Amino acid sequence: MHAQHDRSRSATAPTESILVRGDDRASLSGAELLDFPAEDRTVTVACASGTRHTATWTGVPVFDLFADVGLDDETTHLVVESDDGYRVCIDVYDALDAVLAYARDGTSIGEEYDYETRFIAPEIDGSRTVKGVRAVEACVLDPSTDPESLEDISKKP
């Protein structure tokens, strides 16, 4: 589900900056993140434990983050990293509907959890939805490069 976010419900700005790396790089403050047009995604997250949670996540479409830093037309993957070093490499086509969420079901994520942002998309497995996002980087991988070689999933998501 794609819907424009109702700005009458204010979200609390995340306190940590997000590093975005494309052709250039930028560090976006939480307040700057809230300046982007927001969208809602209703996504069911399937956890490794087998539990499923459906929620409406509000945030910035991930590709909008690259508006000021540029995105190579040849981009094949996005590397998304959390504040604790958890890192996944997502195929660019799987990330097309992704948002960098800062609210869940109308409440700022940081009010209910020990993290403030989450990379989330309808086609991404629950263990690959990064919590506490600190960096999003566009990559052009050679077909012989294994995307998992760029990951560090030894930490719990």
Side-chain angles (χ1 to χ4, degrees):
M1 175 179 172
H2 297 90
Q4 288 291 325
H5 176 61
D6 177 4
R7 284 290 193 189
S8 65
R9 297 168 75 182
S10 297
T12 303
T15 58
E16 298 292 327
S17 295
I18 309 293
L19 178 62
V20 180
R21 285 179 241 157
D23 295 334
D24 291 315
R25 59 190 286 158
S27 181
L28 300 172
S29 70
E32 290 171 318
L33 193 65
L34 292 182
D35 286 340
F36 281 86
E39 290 186 8
D40 291 337
R41 300 283 189 272
T42 299
V43 176
T44 298
V45 176
C47 298
S49 65
T51 329
R52 299 173 67 83
H53 305 280
T54 300
T56 298
W57 301 85
T58 302
V60 178
V62 169
F63 288 101
D64 288 359
L65 296 173
F66 290 91
D68 290 334
V69 298
L71 186 64
D72 189 311
D73 290 340
E74 302 298 316
T75 297
T76 60
H77 292 78
L78 297 180
V79 175
V80 184
E81 187 169 347
S82 71
D83 54 4
D84 68 357
Y86 185 85
R87 186 173 53 249
V88 298
C89 186
I90 305 293
D91 182 280
V92 71
Y93 293 106
D94 291 336
L96 289 175
D97 283 334
V99 293
L100 179 59
Y102 48 77
R104 179 178 184 237
D105 292 331
T107 301
S108 294
I109 293 172
E111 291 179 28
E112 296 183 354
Y113 300 97
D114 62 351
Y115 56 93
E116 298 177 302
T117 56
R118 189 165 184 175
F119 171 85
I120 195 137
E123 300 301 319
I124 304 294
D125 182 64
S127 64
R128 302 178 72 70
T129 62
V130 178
K131 299 174 183 175
V133 176
R134 291 297 162 252
V136 181
E137 179 178 4
C139 299
V140 179
L141 299 185
D142 182 271
S144 64
T145 302
D146 179 4
E148 290 182 12
S149 68
L150 300 176
E151 297 185 344
D152 185 353
I153 57 173
S154 60
K155 303 186 175 39
K156 284 188 131 179

